[in-house]
Amino acid sequence: MDLKIATWNVNSLTVRLPQVLNWLGEQQPDILALQETKLTDPAFPTLDFANAGYQAVFSGQKTYNGVAILSRLPAVDPVTDLPGLDDPQRRVLGATVGEVRVVNLYVPNGQAVGSEKYAYKLDWLEKLIAWLQTELDRHACLVVLGDFNIAPDDRDVHDPTAWAGQVLCSEPERTAFRRLLDLGLRDTFRLFPQEERSFSWWDYRAAAFRRNLGLRIDHILASPALATRCTACQVDKTPRRLERPSDHAPVIAEFTAPTDL
DNA sequence: ATGGTGGCGCGGCCA
């Protein structure tokens, strides 16, 4: 059986729950990582997902942030913090699902280059890189996915000139992303030919989605052993076209089962 | 257009 793994920043799971449930029914992923659930843990709609055939682990907070992993198989050995970072913001959720170690990330946005939030983002990324080095040592099959809030390359930006040096595109952020790849992680989206101007996020303002003025900031990275089994990766723009959408579209990667090797 | 939209929650922050 192949393995289908997806990520989706839903920008409030309360608002988007019906869309997520519909999408799970249509796409039937094995694993879905959610970001910006904006829910405390007691408010998480565990039963709705159970009725849809999915287990859930989650790390949430009120109003901001919040991450969750939905999976067909149980998710075990959860981790909710970056080592060395004492942080109330709920942005990290690691768990093991079957043979795969899953690390779900909601990377800080960074607000503006030079701001306090930008410094926090770069520090956060430093701690992430150090931790993922150890995770790669521990887990041959590792997927690191989520909202990275980094457009890795000019190809991932609708207007690279306008965005040059801006937050989400700045060199320090891109260097941090490159260091993730230097650890051995592969950007599964770039393992395959893709349409030009493929993005995963479009601002709510200025009719950005209709004009395809977006960025590719949601990513699915895979360890070497898992990347060799990757058969596809694409953005599913369908939910972005709905009424009251998230500003992000889901990204889906598919992998052959280890027995298919 | 120094704005624009959306979520949370009811003023202002965050994206």
Side-chain angles (χ1 to χ4, degrees):
Chain A
M1 291 300 284
D2 287 356
L3 191 61
K4 194 168 180 176
I5 302 178
T7 179
W8 193 3
N9 179 323
V10 291
N11 186 20
S12 170
L13 186 55
T14 304
V15 174
R16 237 62 70 186
L17 181 61
Q19 293 183 18
V20 175
L21 290 169
N22 283 340
W23 191 82
L24 286 172
E26 288 165 7
Q27 290 291 334
Q28 304 272 317
D30 297 283
I31 298 167
L32 173 60
L34 300 175
Q35 304 86 36
E36 284 203 90
T37 55
K38 300 185 176 180
L39 282 170
T40 57
D41 290 347
F44 195 90
T46 307
L47 194 56
D48 293 281
F49 290 121
N51 289 336
Y54 286 89
Q55 315 217 11
V57 289
F58 36 85
S59 179
Q61 68 184 86
K62 192 174 165 60
T63 310
Y64 302 115
N65 307 313
V67 285
I69 297 172
L70 310 177
S71 54
R72 294 290 199 192
L73 298 175
V76 299
D77 300 331
V79 170
T80 59
D81 289 281
L82 293 179
L85 192 71
D86 186 17
D87 190 356
Q89 300 190 36
R90 303 292 79 202
R91 299 179 172 278
V92 174
L93 184 57
T96 300
V97 179
E99 43 135 11
V100 181
R101 184 67 178 174
V102 179
V103 172
N104 177 18
L105 303 175
Y106 176 45
V107 177
N109 172 282
Q111 194 176 54
V113 173
S115 68
E116 273 185 36
K117 291 192 176 70
Y118 182 77
Y120 163 71
K121 179 179 194 173
L122 294 183
D123 180 57
W124 195 97
L125 288 165
E126 283 294 322
K127 307 268 192 325
L128 173 71
I129 291 161
W131 178 51
L132 289 180
Q133 175 70 73
T134 68
E135 286 292 285
L136 279 159
D137 293 340
R138 289 186 193 121
H139 308 284
C141 286
L142 175 70
V143 63
V144 181
L145 77 174
D147 177 359
F148 286 66
N149 270 316
I150 300 172
D153 191 273
D154 280 354
R155 289 179 292 176
D156 305 311
V157 181
H158 70 88
D159 186 345
T161 306
W163 279 85
Q166 301 296 308
V167 74
L168 312 185
C169 299
S170 74
E171 269 318 307
E173 293 164 88
R174 286 181 168 177
T175 297
F177 189 86
R178 217 171 297 118
R179 286 176 60 200
L180 294 173
L181 304 186
D182 290 343
L183 294 176
L185 294 168
R186 305 289 304 273
D187 180 355
T188 60
F189 189 78
R190 293 299 179 201
L191 296 177
F192 307 97
Q194 302 288 354
E195 277 183 30
E196 285 184 34
R197 300 171 58 81
S198 289
F199 309 123
S200 67
W201 170 83
W202 301 261
D203 200 300
Y204 284 122
R205 295 165 287 190
F209 180 68
R210 182 178 58 71
R211 300 156 68 198
N212 197 30
L213 306 182
L215 302 178
R216 191 176 71 93
I217 57 176
D218 300 272
H219 307 297
I220 301 179
L221 311 185
S223 63
L226 197 55
T228 59
R229 292 161 43 193
C230 190
T231 56
C233 180
Q234 62 271 316
V235 177
D236 180 9
K237 289 169 76 170
T238 313
R240 190 63 179 79
R241 300 190 179 99
L242 298 172
E243 297 262 348
R244 249 190 137 183
S246 168
D247 46 350
H248 295 252
V251 182
I252 311 167
E254 293 176 68
F255 303 87
T256 59
T259 48
D260 292 352
L261 283 174

